[in-house]
Every structure is written in structure tokens, then in C-alpha cells.
Amino acid sequence: MIKYPLIIDCDPGVDDIIAILVAHSKPEFDIKAICSVSGNVGIDLTTHNARLMAGLLGLDCIVAKGAEKPIIKKAQPVTVVHGLDGFGNCANAFSDDKLSKLSDLSAIEVVREILMESNEPIYIAATGPLTNIALLLSTHPEVKSKIAAISIMGGGINIGNATPCSEFNYFTDPEAAYIVFNSGVKLMMCGLNVTLKATLTDIELNEMRKFHNTISDTIVKIISTYAANDAAIHDPCAILAITNPEMFEYKDQYVQIDIRDGITQGMSYVDEVHNLNKEPNCRVFYDIDREFFRKTIVQSVNI
Ligand code: RIB
Ligand code: CA
């Protein structure tokens, strides 16, 4: 079994915890740490939600608190898509007594330590604003050679959800995205062009209900509320792009990020016509096998 040592950097967020769930359900992954960043909700809630999910799954990985605001831009107002608690207003579906412990070290310190002590390159799945990753690469460039790849849920090609042309994670911290895309680290990007196809139907929700275990009962409750607003389960795509690239369509492209204020803030420009004559800096994913996605999500609660 190929082992992918993995660090998840996220802003849970309903689809973030489905990403954690999918990583946990796949034996190919060895989850080393889960780091929070502010995004869908504020840092205290994303951190608490990461601890709740790690506790629900009984993960023995480190949970560490990350950045409370973007590098330059003002923090965005809380989105309603994930509810005021970040869990579709269903955080009460989790029991606080299973709360995973929180590292005394910051997310950046934890990730630097894990990377520098590892004797093999480590994958990072980034499913929130890229603030932690950008600060890590800027303050500790020595870690770059220890990263196998950063698999990102973010951006898109001529599409947006925060603005008509900018996706939420990049819109929230465009300078962070710019730093990551100009870091030279191997990148994979699942933008909205892919993730808006990553949806579930009532068929899958009913199949998940049938397992009727603590995890399935909790997850179904949360997804059902979330799906009513934003049916796309964006973040697990960044996990599956690592283990199952054959279930996607992708091309290696040159990508840049717009850091100007306004409607194009955080927009990801993919040079599909190669008129910049630049070497590709990112594997851009374009399509996903929807049946594979749906089956994987259903099976992720059959634990
Ligand atoms: O645009 C969708 C992304 O923004 C997802 O990662 C969602 O969780 C939010 O972080
Ligand atoms: Ca997210």
C-alpha cells in the first residue's frame, strides 16, 4: 500500500471535515497534523471544529492553531454557507468530550517541525485560505524540499464564488495565494471548475444514513444542512487528487494570482494559450469522475 504522509491545512467548514473524513478513510494516508486557518468562520471556531472532527474520528495526529487573519487583506465577514458555527449550525451533533487536544505550538511551528524531522517528503492538502502555507514558505524556505506537493482546493478558470471571477479561499488571502504560486513548490489545484461537480444527491445521503454509526449519523446531519445552501463538497477533491489523479482530468499549466483589490482580487489566471511562455507551476485539475467521487464519500462513513 503506497503511504502518503499528509498534513491538512483547513478552515472547517463542512466540506473541510469531509476532506479530513476521506483522508482518514483511505489507508494510503498517514495524517501527521491538522492545522486550522480562519476562513469560513473565525480562527477560534475553525480550530475548535478541527479538534471536534479529529476527536470524532479518534485521530492521533497533532491539531494546531494557525493564522487568525489574512497576510494583508482585512478578514472577510463570516460566510453563512457553513452556518455561524462553521458546521451548518449542527456543531451540537458532535460531543465536546471527544475534543482532540490542541498543540501548544502554532501551525507554522508544528508543520516546520514535522517536515524537517521527516525522512520522506510530505504532502500538504490546503482547503482554506493559504495564509499558513504562505507564512511557512516565507519564514522557513528550508522546508520547500521536504514537501512532496501542495494539493489545493482553491481558485478556478474564469469562474468564482466570492466574486464572479474569484474563488473564496484565494479571494480571502490573495497575497498568500500569490506567495504559494510563486514559491517553486510542486502544486496541484482543484478549482471551482472541478469542485462544483463534486456534489451529492439524496441517493448518496440515504446510502450514508444506512450505515447508522456515530460518524455517519453526525456527517449526514451536517451535510444535509450544508447541501441545502451549497451542494458542492469542494475540499475532498484536494485529497483525492493526491491518491486518485486518474479519476480527474488535468494539465500542467502556468498560473498567476491577482492581488489587486476589487472584483479580480484573488483571481487565478491560467495561461491556457501559453502566451506568457512560462514553465508550468501547477497541475490544474479540470474534471472529476462524479460517480467515483460520490462512491468515495459514501464509503468514507462506512468505518
Ligand atoms: O470556495 C470554496 C472553498 O472555500 C472551500 O474550501 C470552502 O470550505 C471554503 O473554504
Ligand atoms: Ca475550506
Side-chain angles (χ1 to χ4, degrees), residues 195-230:
T195 66
L196 285 173
K197 297 172 187 170
T199 58
L200 297 177
T201 68
D202 285 342
I203 295 170
E204 287 79 42
L205 290 176
N206 290 332
E207 284 174 21
M208 292 165 80
R209 278 190 190 91
K210 285 179 196 153
F211 293 120
H212 197 39
N213 58 52
T214 311
I215 292 173
S216 62
D217 291 350
T218 305
I219 295 301
V220 167
K221 189 172 177 193
I222 290 182
I223 288 190
S224 309
T225 311
Y226 169 84
N229 294 302
D230 177 341

mmCIF file of all heavy atoms in Angstrom, residues 195-230:
data_model
loop_
_atom_site.group_PDB
_atom_site.id
_atom_site.type_symbol
_atom_site.label_atom_id
_atom_site.label_comp_id
_atom_site.label_asym_id
_atom_site.label_seq_id
_atom_site.Cartn_x
_atom_site.Cartn_y
_atom_site.Cartn_z
ATOM 1 N N THR A 195 -14.608 21.392 -8.627
ATOM 2 C CA THR A 195 -15.304 21.096 -7.359
ATOM 3 C C THR A 195 -16.803 21.367 -7.416
ATOM 4 O O THR A 195 -17.554 20.782 -6.632
ATOM 5 C CB THR A 195 -14.670 21.876 -6.189
ATOM 6 O OG1 THR A 195 -14.899 23.287 -6.382
ATOM 7 C CG2 THR A 195 -13.180 21.630 -6.086
ATOM 8 N N LEU A 196 -17.231 22.225 -8.341
ATOM 9 C CA LEU A 196 -18.684 22.445 -8.434
ATOM 10 C C LEU A 196 -19.388 21.202 -8.973
ATOM 11 O O LEU A 196 -20.601 21.076 -8.885
ATOM 12 C CB LEU A 196 -18.992 23.672 -9.300
ATOM 13 C CG LEU A 196 -18.718 25.024 -8.631
ATOM 14 C CD1 LEU A 196 -18.894 26.169 -9.626
ATOM 15 C CD2 LEU A 196 -19.598 25.227 -7.395
ATOM 16 N N LYS A 197 -18.587 20.267 -9.517
ATOM 17 C CA LYS A 197 -19.173 18.985 -9.978
ATOM 18 C C LYS A 197 -19.157 17.950 -8.851
ATOM 19 O O LYS A 197 -19.718 16.865 -8.989
ATOM 20 C CB LYS A 197 -18.361 18.453 -11.170
ATOM 21 C CG LYS A 197 -18.397 19.360 -12.382
ATOM 22 C CD LYS A 197 -17.428 18.902 -13.447
ATOM 23 C CE LYS A 197 -17.352 19.913 -14.581
ATOM 24 N NZ LYS A 197 -16.245 19.624 -15.522
ATOM 25 N N ALA A 198 -18.491 18.304 -7.753
ATOM 26 C CA ALA A 198 -18.343 17.353 -6.634
ATOM 27 C C ALA A 198 -19.547 17.480 -5.707
ATOM 28 O O ALA A 198 -19.486 18.117 -4.647
ATOM 29 C CB ALA A 198 -17.051 17.630 -5.885
ATOM 30 N N THR A 199 -20.665 16.898 -6.147
ATOM 31 C CA THR A 199 -21.908 17.057 -5.373
ATOM 32 C C THR A 199 -22.429 15.692 -4.933
ATOM 33 O O THR A 199 -21.987 14.653 -5.420
ATOM 34 C CB THR A 199 -22.988 17.706 -6.264
ATOM 35 O OG1 THR A 199 -23.161 16.848 -7.407
ATOM 36 C CG2 THR A 199 -22.586 19.095 -6.696
ATOM 37 N N LEU A 200 -23.357 15.728 -4.003
ATOM 38 C CA LEU A 200 -24.032 14.509 -3.554
ATOM 39 C C LEU A 200 -25.525 14.655 -3.836
ATOM 40 O O LEU A 200 -26.043 15.780 -3.890
ATOM 41 C CB LEU A 200 -23.824 14.306 -2.046
ATOM 42 C CG LEU A 200 -22.389 14.104 -1.561
ATOM 43 C CD1 LEU A 200 -22.371 13.993 -0.041
ATOM 44 C CD2 LEU A 200 -21.766 12.874 -2.200
ATOM 45 N N THR A 201 -26.197 13.547 -4.004
ATOM 46 C CA THR A 201 -27.663 13.582 -4.165
ATOM 47 C C THR A 201 -28.288 12.870 -2.963
ATOM 48 O O THR A 201 -27.582 12.293 -2.136
ATOM 49 C CB THR A 201 -28.085 12.831 -5.441
ATOM 50 O OG1 THR A 201 -27.821 11.435 -5.234
ATOM 51 C CG2 THR A 201 -27.316 13.339 -6.656
ATOM 52 N N ASP A 202 -29.603 12.896 -2.902
ATOM 53 C CA ASP A 202 -30.294 12.192 -1.803
ATOM 54 C C ASP A 202 -29.988 10.701 -1.823
ATOM 55 O O ASP A 202 -29.996 10.037 -0.778
ATOM 56 C CB ASP A 202 -31.819 12.409 -1.921
ATOM 57 C CG ASP A 202 -32.215 13.815 -1.473
ATOM 58 O OD1 ASP A 202 -31.365 14.442 -0.767
ATOM 59 O OD2 ASP A 202 -33.301 14.282 -1.828
ATOM 60 N N ILE A 203 -29.668 10.182 -2.990
ATOM 61 C CA ILE A 203 -29.321 8.748 -3.082
ATOM 62 C C ILE A 203 -28.112 8.460 -2.200
ATOM 63 O O ILE A 203 -28.129 7.556 -1.351
ATOM 64 C CB ILE A 203 -29.026 8.349 -4.554
ATOM 65 C CG1 ILE A 203 -30.276 8.492 -5.402
ATOM 66 C CG2 ILE A 203 -28.467 6.914 -4.612
ATOM 67 C CD1 ILE A 203 -30.022 8.364 -6.898
ATOM 68 N N GLU A 204 -27.082 9.311 -2.338
ATOM 69 C CA GLU A 204 -25.882 9.089 -1.518
ATOM 70 C C GLU A 204 -26.174 9.343 -0.037
ATOM 71 O O GLU A 204 -25.730 8.604 0.838
ATOM 72 C CB GLU A 204 -24.729 9.996 -1.962
ATOM 73 C CG GLU A 204 -24.065 9.600 -3.285
ATOM 74 C CD GLU A 204 -24.869 10.029 -4.479
ATOM 75 O OE1 GLU A 204 -25.403 11.161 -4.472
ATOM 76 O OE2 GLU A 204 -25.022 9.221 -5.422
ATOM 77 N N LEU A 205 -26.931 10.401 0.235
ATOM 78 C CA LEU A 205 -27.238 10.698 1.648
ATOM 79 C C LEU A 205 -27.986 9.528 2.289
ATOM 80 O O LEU A 205 -27.686 9.117 3.418
ATOM 81 C CB LEU A 205 -28.049 11.989 1.766
ATOM 82 C CG LEU A 205 -27.289 13.278 1.436
ATOM 83 C CD1 LEU A 205 -28.215 14.486 1.485
ATOM 84 C CD2 LEU A 205 -26.102 13.477 2.377
ATOM 85 N N ASN A 206 -28.929 8.925 1.547
ATOM 86 C CA ASN A 206 -29.670 7.769 2.101
ATOM 87 C C ASN A 206 -28.761 6.558 2.277
ATOM 88 O O ASN A 206 -28.860 5.834 3.271
ATOM 89 C CB ASN A 206 -30.861 7.421 1.200
ATOM 90 C CG ASN A 206 -31.951 8.498 1.275
ATOM 91 O OD1 ASN A 206 -32.074 9.162 2.313
ATOM 92 N ND2 ASN A 206 -32.674 8.709 0.194
ATOM 93 N N GLU A 207 -27.822 6.378 1.334
ATOM 94 C CA GLU A 207 -26.866 5.257 1.488
ATOM 95 C C GLU A 207 -26.006 5.476 2.740
ATOM 96 O O GLU A 207 -25.733 4.552 3.499
ATOM 97 C CB GLU A 207 -25.973 5.165 0.246
ATOM 98 C CG GLU A 207 -26.661 4.553 -0.967
ATOM 99 C CD GLU A 207 -25.774 4.615 -2.204
ATOM 100 O OE1 GLU A 207 -24.539 4.751 -2.047
ATOM 101 O OE2 GLU A 207 -26.316 4.540 -3.308
ATOM 102 N N MET A 208 -25.629 6.742 2.972
ATOM 103 C CA MET A 208 -24.786 7.037 4.153
ATOM 104 C C MET A 208 -25.584 6.837 5.435
ATOM 105 O O MET A 208 -25.069 6.336 6.426
ATOM 106 C CB MET A 208 -24.255 8.470 4.049
ATOM 107 C CG MET A 208 -23.256 8.672 2.915
ATOM 108 S SD MET A 208 -22.954 10.408 2.521
ATOM 109 C CE MET A 208 -21.811 10.850 3.815
ATOM 110 N N ARG A 209 -26.857 7.189 5.408
ATOM 111 C CA ARG A 209 -27.710 7.015 6.595
ATOM 112 C C ARG A 209 -27.772 5.543 7.015
ATOM 113 O O ARG A 209 -27.767 5.210 8.198
ATOM 114 C CB ARG A 209 -29.142 7.498 6.309
ATOM 115 C CG ARG A 209 -29.340 8.977 6.443
ATOM 116 C CD ARG A 209 -30.806 9.383 6.399
ATOM 117 N NE ARG A 209 -30.870 10.840 6.308
ATOM 118 C CZ ARG A 209 -30.900 11.510 5.146
ATOM 119 N NH1 ARG A 209 -30.927 10.838 3.990
ATOM 120 N NH2 ARG A 209 -30.895 12.842 5.110
ATOM 121 N N LYS A 210 -27.764 4.642 6.021
ATOM 122 C CA LYS A 210 -27.962 3.216 6.320
ATOM 123 C C LYS A 210 -26.845 2.635 7.191
ATOM 124 O O LYS A 210 -27.029 1.652 7.907
ATOM 125 C CB LYS A 210 -28.051 2.403 5.014
ATOM 126 C CG LYS A 210 -29.384 2.572 4.299
ATOM 127 C CD LYS A 210 -29.400 1.767 3.021
ATOM 128 C CE LYS A 210 -30.544 2.215 2.103
ATOM 129 N NZ LYS A 210 -30.226 1.940 0.685
ATOM 130 N N PHE A 211 -25.637 3.259 7.142
ATOM 131 C CA PHE A 211 -24.547 2.716 7.976
ATOM 132 C C PHE A 211 -24.860 2.929 9.455
ATOM 133 O O PHE A 211 -24.432 2.189 10.329
ATOM 134 C CB PHE A 211 -23.216 3.383 7.609
ATOM 135 C CG PHE A 211 -22.739 3.045 6.227
ATOM 136 C CD1 PHE A 211 -22.547 4.033 5.275
ATOM 137 C CD2 PHE A 211 -22.523 1.721 5.869
ATOM 138 C CE1 PHE A 211 -22.118 3.719 3.995
ATOM 139 C CE2 PHE A 211 -22.094 1.389 4.587
ATOM 140 C CZ PHE A 211 -21.896 2.391 3.649
ATOM 141 N N HIS A 212 -25.580 4.017 9.738
ATOM 142 C CA HIS A 212 -26.087 4.291 11.092
ATOM 143 C C HIS A 212 -25.035 4.037 12.186
ATOM 144 O O HIS A 212 -25.257 3.285 13.139
ATOM 145 C CB HIS A 212 -27.344 3.456 11.350
ATOM 146 C CG HIS A 212 -28.153 3.970 12.518
ATOM 147 N ND1 HIS A 212 -28.311 5.323 12.749
ATOM 148 C CD2 HIS A 212 -28.796 3.348 13.524
ATOM 149 C CE1 HIS A 212 -29.023 5.508 13.841
ATOM 150 N NE2 HIS A 212 -29.330 4.301 14.350
ATOM 151 N N ASN A 213 -23.877 4.685 12.001
ATOM 152 C CA ASN A 213 -22.885 4.652 13.093
ATOM 153 C C ASN A 213 -22.679 6.096 13.557
ATOM 154 O O ASN A 213 -23.245 7.038 12.970
ATOM 155 C CB ASN A 213 -21.571 4.003 12.611
ATOM 156 C CG ASN A 213 -20.971 4.740 11.427
ATOM 157 O OD1 ASN A 213 -20.790 5.956 11.480
ATOM 158 N ND2 ASN A 213 -20.700 4.017 10.346
ATOM 159 N N THR A 214 -21.894 6.301 14.594
ATOM 160 C CA THR A 214 -21.730 7.657 15.162
ATOM 161 C C THR A 214 -21.242 8.647 14.108
ATOM 162 O O THR A 214 -21.736 9.759 13.998
ATOM 163 C CB THR A 214 -20.706 7.611 16.329
ATOM 164 O OG1 THR A 214 -21.065 6.555 17.200
ATOM 165 C CG2 THR A 214 -20.648 8.938 17.067
ATOM 166 N N ILE A 215 -20.259 8.179 13.307
ATOM 167 C CA ILE A 215 -19.689 9.074 12.292
ATOM 168 C C ILE A 215 -20.714 9.369 11.204
ATOM 169 O O ILE A 215 -20.974 10.537 10.873
ATOM 170 C CB ILE A 215 -18.401 8.450 11.698
ATOM 171 C CG1 ILE A 215 -17.305 8.420 12.781
ATOM 172 C CG2 ILE A 215 -17.924 9.236 10.471
ATOM 173 C CD1 ILE A 215 -16.049 7.687 12.405
ATOM 174 N N SER A 216 -21.372 8.337 10.678
ATOM 175 C CA SER A 216 -22.325 8.565 9.574
ATOM 176 C C SER A 216 -23.487 9.432 10.046
ATOM 177 O O SER A 216 -23.899 10.367 9.347
ATOM 178 C CB SER A 216 -22.839 7.228 9.025
ATOM 179 O OG SER A 216 -23.540 6.516 10.034
ATOM 180 N N ASP A 217 -23.978 9.166 11.263
ATOM 181 C CA ASP A 217 -25.115 9.970 11.775
ATOM 182 C C ASP A 217 -24.726 11.446 11.877
ATOM 183 O O ASP A 217 -25.470 12.339 11.475
ATOM 184 C CB ASP A 217 -25.561 9.452 13.151
ATOM 185 C CG ASP A 217 -26.219 8.071 13.068
ATOM 186 O OD1 ASP A 217 -26.498 7.628 11.931
ATOM 187 O OD2 ASP A 217 -26.418 7.452 14.125
ATOM 188 N N THR A 218 -23.511 11.703 12.379
ATOM 189 C CA THR A 218 -23.050 13.090 12.550
ATOM 190 C C THR A 218 -22.849 13.765 11.200
ATOM 191 O O THR A 218 -23.311 14.875 10.956
ATOM 192 C CB THR A 218 -21.711 13.100 13.335
ATOM 193 O OG1 THR A 218 -21.898 12.403 14.568
ATOM 194 C CG2 THR A 218 -21.247 14.523 13.597
ATOM 195 N N ILE A 219 -22.162 13.079 10.301
ATOM 196 C CA ILE A 219 -21.816 13.676 8.999
ATOM 197 C C ILE A 219 -23.062 13.924 8.157
ATOM 198 O O ILE A 219 -23.225 15.001 7.565
ATOM 199 C CB ILE A 219 -20.823 12.767 8.251
ATOM 200 C CG1 ILE A 219 -19.485 12.711 9.022
ATOM 201 C CG2 ILE A 219 -20.597 13.268 6.814
ATOM 202 C CD1 ILE A 219 -18.784 14.029 9.237
ATOM 203 N N VAL A 220 -23.986 12.953 8.142
ATOM 204 C CA VAL A 220 -25.206 13.124 7.333
ATOM 205 C C VAL A 220 -25.985 14.338 7.809
ATOM 206 O O VAL A 220 -26.466 15.151 7.020
ATOM 207 C CB VAL A 220 -26.079 11.853 7.362
ATOM 208 C CG1 VAL A 220 -27.464 12.121 6.798
ATOM 209 C CG2 VAL A 220 -25.400 10.733 6.596
ATOM 210 N N LYS A 221 -26.031 14.517 9.135
ATOM 211 C CA LYS A 221 -26.786 15.655 9.697
ATOM 212 C C LYS A 221 -26.177 16.961 9.188
ATOM 213 O O LYS A 221 -26.877 17.870 8.719
ATOM 214 C CB LYS A 221 -26.710 15.585 11.227
ATOM 215 C CG LYS A 221 -27.611 16.576 11.942
ATOM 216 C CD LYS A 221 -27.647 16.323 13.435
ATOM 217 C CE LYS A 221 -28.513 17.398 14.120
ATOM 218 N NZ LYS A 221 -28.333 17.386 15.578
ATOM 219 N N ILE A 222 -24.865 17.026 9.188
ATOM 220 C CA ILE A 222 -24.179 18.274 8.803
ATOM 221 C C ILE A 222 -24.268 18.512 7.295
ATOM 222 O O ILE A 222 -24.600 19.594 6.834
ATOM 223 C CB ILE A 222 -22.711 18.220 9.254
ATOM 224 C CG1 ILE A 222 -22.665 18.313 10.776
ATOM 225 C CG2 ILE A 222 -21.901 19.357 8.641
ATOM 226 C CD1 ILE A 222 -21.283 18.320 11.324
ATOM 227 N N ILE A 223 -23.998 17.434 6.520
ATOM 228 C CA ILE A 223 -24.032 17.594 5.044
ATOM 229 C C ILE A 223 -25.433 18.002 4.591
ATOM 230 O O ILE A 223 -25.577 18.878 3.721
ATOM 231 C CB ILE A 223 -23.635 16.286 4.327
ATOM 232 C CG1 ILE A 223 -22.154 15.982 4.456
ATOM 233 C CG2 ILE A 223 -23.976 16.422 2.863
ATOM 234 C CD1 ILE A 223 -21.708 14.838 3.560
ATOM 235 N N SER A 224 -26.455 17.404 5.194
ATOM 236 C CA SER A 224 -27.843 17.682 4.733
ATOM 237 C C SER A 224 -28.135 19.169 4.849
ATOM 238 O O SER A 224 -28.691 19.779 3.938
ATOM 239 C CB SER A 224 -28.847 16.879 5.557
ATOM 240 O OG SER A 224 -28.468 15.535 5.584
ATOM 241 N N THR A 225 -27.695 19.767 5.963
ATOM 242 C CA THR A 225 -27.951 21.208 6.147
ATOM 243 C C THR A 225 -27.127 22.007 5.133
ATOM 244 O O THR A 225 -27.612 22.872 4.432
ATOM 245 C CB THR A 225 -27.541 21.636 7.572
ATOM 246 O OG1 THR A 225 -28.098 20.727 8.491
ATOM 247 C CG2 THR A 225 -27.972 23.053 7.870
ATOM 248 N N TYR A 226 -25.847 21.677 5.024
ATOM 249 C CA TYR A 226 -24.916 22.392 4.144
ATOM 250 C C TYR A 226 -25.373 22.293 2.680
ATOM 251 O O TYR A 226 -25.400 23.273 1.948
ATOM 252 C CB TYR A 226 -23.522 21.784 4.293
ATOM 253 C CG TYR A 226 -22.510 22.239 3.270
ATOM 254 C CD1 TYR A 226 -21.804 23.429 3.445
ATOM 255 C CD2 TYR A 226 -22.259 21.481 2.120
ATOM 256 C CE1 TYR A 226 -20.867 23.845 2.509
ATOM 257 C CE2 TYR A 226 -21.331 21.890 1.180
ATOM 258 C CZ TYR A 226 -20.640 23.069 1.379
ATOM 259 O OH TYR A 226 -19.718 23.478 0.448
ATOM 260 N N ALA A 227 -25.770 21.073 2.287
ATOM 261 C CA ALA A 227 -26.089 20.838 0.862
ATOM 262 C C ALA A 227 -27.265 21.708 0.423
ATOM 263 O O ALA A 227 -27.392 22.080 -0.743
ATOM 264 C CB ALA A 227 -26.381 19.368 0.626
ATOM 265 N N ALA A 228 -28.101 22.091 1.397
ATOM 266 C CA ALA A 228 -29.264 22.926 1.027
ATOM 267 C C ALA A 228 -28.775 24.268 0.493
ATOM 268 O O ALA A 228 -29.421 24.924 -0.308
ATOM 269 C CB ALA A 228 -30.146 23.126 2.247
ATOM 270 N N ASN A 229 -27.588 24.718 0.945
ATOM 271 C CA ASN A 229 -27.082 26.025 0.500
ATOM 272 C C ASN A 229 -26.053 25.917 -0.607
ATOM 273 O O ASN A 229 -26.011 26.703 -1.507
ATOM 274 C CB ASN A 229 -26.411 26.747 1.690
ATOM 275 C CG ASN A 229 -27.429 27.090 2.762
ATOM 276 O OD1 ASN A 229 -28.389 27.780 2.483
ATOM 277 N ND2 ASN A 229 -27.237 26.564 3.964
ATOM 278 N N ASP A 230 -25.156 24.965 -0.491
ATOM 279 C CA ASP A 230 -24.019 24.936 -1.441
ATOM 280 C C ASP A 230 -23.698 23.472 -1.658
ATOM 281 O O ASP A 230 -22.874 22.912 -0.978
ATOM 282 C CB ASP A 230 -22.830 25.687 -0.832
ATOM 283 C CG ASP A 230 -21.612 25.619 -1.738
ATOM 284 O OD1 ASP A 230 -21.584 24.724 -2.599
ATOM 285 O OD2 ASP A 230 -20.714 26.437 -1.577
#
